[in-house]
Amino acid sequence: MGPVERTGARLLVDQLLIQGVNHVFCVPGESYLGVLDALHDAAAAIRLTVNRHESGSVFMADAYARLTGQPGVVFVTRGPGASNAAIGIHNARQDSTPLVVFIGQVGTDHLGREAFQEIDYRQMFGPVAKAVEQVERADRIPEVVARAFQCASSGRPGPVVVALPEDVLSDSTSAADARCHQPVQAAPSDTQTAALRSLLRQAQRPVLMLGGPGWTGAALDNLRRFVEVNDLPVVCGFRFQDRFDNEHPNYIGEAGIGINPKLAQRIKTADLVIAIGLRLGEMTTSGYTLLQAPVPEQTLVHVHEGLEELGRVYQPMLMINSGMPQFASRLAAMNQIEPAPWSAHTRAGRAEYEEWQQRPAAYRQHEPTLDLWQVMRQLRQAVPRNAIVANGAGNFSVWLHRFFRYGAPGTQIAPTSGCMGYGVPAAIGAKIAAPERTVVCVTGDGDLMMSVQELATAAQYHAGVVFLLLNNSMYGTIRLHQERRFPGRVSGTALVNPDFPLLAKSFGALGVRVTDTAGFAPALTEALAYTRERRRPALIELVCDPDLLTPEATVASLRATLASGEPGQA
Ligand SMILES: Cc1ncc(C[n+]2csc(CCOP(=O)(O)OP(=O)(O)O)c2C)c(N)n1
Ligand SMILES: [Mg+2]
């Protein structure tokens, strides 16, 4: 565009259009009224979703970004708005989600005075966001916005914060537009792929670990071809279970919280670990025990988009800085390794996964009236394979992650940062991004109540999400840790909850309570039909047995184990 006079706010919205933005999530504030006004004119191209809490805006934008592959965009107001958004910014950093979060700021002539709601965002978000920018002149809006999108989407993606002083939005400028950003990823060299092949040729018990951002459907197809040709066992990292079809005979499980002990052993005793796309973080490595830091016993190959992740904790034998599509196409082109002596090891890994999916050990002590093992199996059968399943944090997610089988890529939306309150808005954001798909959110009584206000957003935007609430009337995860460390001394973990079906109904949602196993299947059928036909949310409250802490442990079994002095595996 030529030298047209525009306000900073209008120039900013024009840059959003150029960057390909078609959806913005926000809670309004007087600090960026001009932007809201410019969005009014751009309404045909940019949809605006207004939330009830800024964490909801960021979590919804996060899910939207994961599903569309485009950076999610959020607007929040200064001070309090920014503070409410912080949880989502932290989560997006840990999840490597590309986001651009615009935050209102005091006028440039008051900066540094601790003016009304002023925060120095560079200090506040410095260690949290991938980058923090503050635009201090209207004519530099195009440059800074382009940089924010470029940074958010290249290398290891992440959240970028952009502070917008009020006068910068109201000033006029004839600055020219920027261009659309171009996400940039590295590619492996011939030498690196040859080195990988040579390490694989020497292996007897290799394990491939998969996860992280940046995968496309085509990249995962290429990876699957490589896995099938070489009959390799595949482990998905913590909350990246949808990167490989869980029904596939080469899938052997998730390296996450409550890992199958046999899988942990298989990884520990592997002679070659090829980690592709995922961070070798605390949750995926069982607290840095599956691999020793800094020099693991296994030969380690680490492939990651972010240069800074390579050699961060571990010193791999081979490090490859590459985007996932770039790396996977090289894998697909690699000649088959012959002979591959590990087929029996792959089959054994799969058999251990199947065994781990059988009836939970805790049922030996305690048969629950409402069987969550059956619930997860029935859920699996009732929803299409491309259904999106979101969750937040809590022990309820252990049942889902262990007994559900994720199918296609982009079907799991779960926070690797373990932040409560994520699942509810993320599921709504996913439904807004993909209205034709079935979206289910599995949540807990603690987790739901951290974002319950977003049910209003779901109703307002016709997001027909099915919420499965596992209500055990407590912060069960913390109670589990409490029973291990301070048995019998319940402190700060019991909850008195509202009438959840009634609460759901007040938001215009279907609200159903299920108290036994037989009640679940009909309730799910009703909820799926309701969300599809009425385009409104539905909530199924599952009244859970508080004694059943995990699939492995009841309160009684945990106390007995501790009393006998045996090391428990809970
Ligand atoms: C925002 C946030 N606050 C606190 C925690 C610590 N925390 C982890 S799980 C949990 C309890 C979750 O309760 P609920 O959703 O009821 O699930 P349950 O463990 O009972 O199945 C808490 C308090 C957290 N992870 N995130
Ligand atoms: Mg609970």
Side-chain angles (χ1 to χ4, degrees):
M1 199 178 277
V4 189
E5 278 279 308
R6 288 174 281 186
T7 62
R10 198 154 289 267
L11 178 61
L12 174 64
V13 171
D14 285 346
Q15 303 317 295
L16 297 183
L17 291 166
I18 289 168
Q19 300 304 331
V21 175
N22 52 28
H23 210 116
V24 164
F25 296 85
C26 80
V27 173
E30 66 275 31
S31 59
Y32 67 93
L33 275 181
V35 176
L36 288 172
D37 187 63
L39 284 170
H40 188 263
D41 286 336
I46 301 181
R47 284 177 65 201
L48 184 64
T49 294
V50 57
N51 295 96
R52 305 310 175 100
H53 190 287
E54 287 82 355
S55 61
S57 305
V58 188
F59 290 150
M60 284 191 197
D62 185 297
Y64 194 89
R66 286 168 181 243
L67 285 177
T68 60
Q70 303 294 318
V73 179
V74 177
F75 277 84
V76 298
T77 197
R78 46 204 206 178
S83 304
N84 272 352
I87 184 174
I89 296 171
H90 173 249
N91 176 63
R93 181 70 186 272
Q94 293 230 304
D95 272 359
S96 311
T97 309
L99 289 184
V100 180
V101 182
F102 292 98
I103 304 182
Q105 178 59 298
V106 304
T108 52
D109 48 351
H110 296 322
L111 279 171
R113 289 178 167 170
E114 200 194 324
F116 182 58
Q117 301 181 333
E118 181 180 0
I119 296 179
D120 179 338
Y121 299 114
R122 289 194 177 102
Q123 283 202 51
M124 179 181 183
F125 290 115
V128 183
K130 185 174 176 191
V132 186
E133 305 278 354
Q134 181 160 285
V135 200
E136 293 185 6
R137 288 163 50 121
D139 59 1
R140 292 193 58 195
I141 287 174
E143 171 196 331
V144 176
V145 172
R147 180 156 69 242
F149 280 84
Q150 188 64 36
C151 174
S153 60
S154 292
R156 177 186 172 196
V160 177
V161 166
V162 182
L164 302 167
E166 224 170 300
D167 53 323
V168 170
L169 295 176
S170 53
D171 281 354
S172 282
T173 167
S174 55
D177 291 325
R179 288 192 182 137
C180 186
H181 65 288
Q182 304 175 24
V184 178
Q185 297 297 351
S189 68
D190 291 345
T191 318
Q192 287 171 323
T193 39
L196 170 64
R197 187 163 198 284
S198 140
L199 289 173
L200 202 48
R201 278 173 64 98
Q202 295 160 38
Q204 300 289 316
R205 297 175 311 283
V207 167
L208 200 147
M209 294 180 78
L210 201 58
W215 289 99
T216 58
L220 285 166
D221 280 347
N222 277 334
L223 180 111
R224 185 177 38 76
R225 227 163 282 144
F226 168 75
V227 165
E228 285 171 350
V229 164
N230 296 298
D231 201 16
L232 289 162
V234 176
V235 178
C236 287
F238 175 54
R239 293 188 168 157
F240 290 115
Q241 290 160 281
D242 63 344
R243 302 298 191 266
F244 201 83
D245 185 353
N246 298 179
E247 301 280 10
H248 196 288
N250 289 55
Y251 177 75
I252 65 165
E254 180 206 14
I257 296 175
I259 187 174
N260 179 355
K262 290 186 178 163
L263 176 61
Q265 195 54 25
R266 195 163 285 280
I267 298 170
K268 280 184 186 168
T269 56
D271 57 356
L272 174 66
V273 173
I274 308 172
I276 309 177
L278 74 179
R279 296 180 64 229
L280 293 166
E282 184 180 350
M283 291 295 124
T284 289
T285 61
S286 298
Y288 305 103
T289 62
L290 298 183
L291 300 136
Q292 294 299 321
V295 183
E297 278 178 31
Q298 307 93 324
T299 299
L300 175 64
V301 178
H302 194 191
V303 186
H304 203 274
E305 294 174 324
L307 205 50
E308 66 287 354
E309 271 312 302
L310 296 167
R312 182 182 191 141
V313 179
Y314 296 107
Q315 293 183 291
M317 186 72 82
L318 177 63
M319 312 187 204
I320 303 179
N321 180 212
S322 176
M324 295 307 110
Q326 293 80 351
F327 184 69
S329 63
R330 300 299 291 267
L331 288 182
M334 197 183 276
N335 289 334
Q336 185 180 353
I337 311 285
E338 276 182 307
W342 50 72
S343 282
H345 153 78
T346 303
R347 296 291 84 74
R350 178 68 190 182
E352 287 162 4
Y353 168 72
E354 296 282 359
E355 186 193 326
W356 185 237
Q357 296 244 305
Q358 299 312 310
R359 270 176 78 73
Y363 286 12
R364 280 185 227 126
Q365 283 96 34
H366 191 104
E367 190 76 33
T369 316
L370 200 160
D371 178 346
L372 292 174
W373 176 60
Q374 290 288 0
V375 163
M376 294 306 157
R377 290 162 79 94
Q378 288 173 9
L379 176 66
R380 205 164 96 190
Q381 281 150 14
V383 298
R385 289 234 81 203
N386 78 343
I388 297 164
V389 184
N391 63 269
N395 271 359
F396 64 84
S397 68
V398 172
W399 296 89
L400 173 69
H401 296 336
R402 179 157 158 196
F403 298 117
F404 190 76
R405 289 191 179 181
Y406 297 87
T411 55
Q412 182 178 31
I413 299 204
T416 53
S417 80
C419 60
M420 291 171 70
Y422 174 82
V424 171
I428 300 165
K431 187 70 183 174
I432 288 172
E436 71 293 349
R437 287 170 67 179
T438 300
V439 181
V440 177
C441 171
V442 178
T443 182
D445 47 324
D447 183 56
L448 171 76
M449 290 296 278
M450 285 207 184
S451 284
V452 72
Q453 72 287 342
E454 298 304 331
L455 289 180
T457 314
Q460 183 165 346
Y461 296 96
H462 308 287
V465 173
V466 176
F467 295 92
L468 282 192
L469 164 63
L470 275 60
N471 180 11
N472 54 7
S473 300
M474 62 177 168
Y475 287 131
T477 312
I478 312 306
R479 172 74 187 283
L480 170 70
H481 292 295
Q482 202 159 54
E483 286 291 343
R484 281 182 183 150
R485 294 266 312 276
F486 305 103
R489 294 171 60 83
V490 178
S491 176
T493 50
L495 297 174
V496 174
N497 283 314
D499 179 327
F500 284 114
L502 200 60
L503 181 66
K505 285 175 195 155
S506 75
F507 286 106
L510 175 76
V512 184
R513 177 172 295 129
V514 171
T515 54
D516 60 13
T517 316
F520 177 64
L524 182 61
T525 306
E526 184 187 3
L528 287 168
Y530 184 89
T531 51
R532 204 172 39 242
E533 287 154 20
R534 308 279 288 272
R535 296 172 61 232
R536 282 184 161 276
L539 182 137
I540 303 174
E541 178 194 8
L542 301 170
V543 180
C544 299
D545 192 328
D547 280 340
L548 202 59
L549 293 171
T550 70
E552 299 300 297
T554 59
V555 172
S557 73
L558 205 59
R559 287 182 190 169
T561 310
L562 288 167
S564 72
E566 286 170 32
Q569 197 279 315

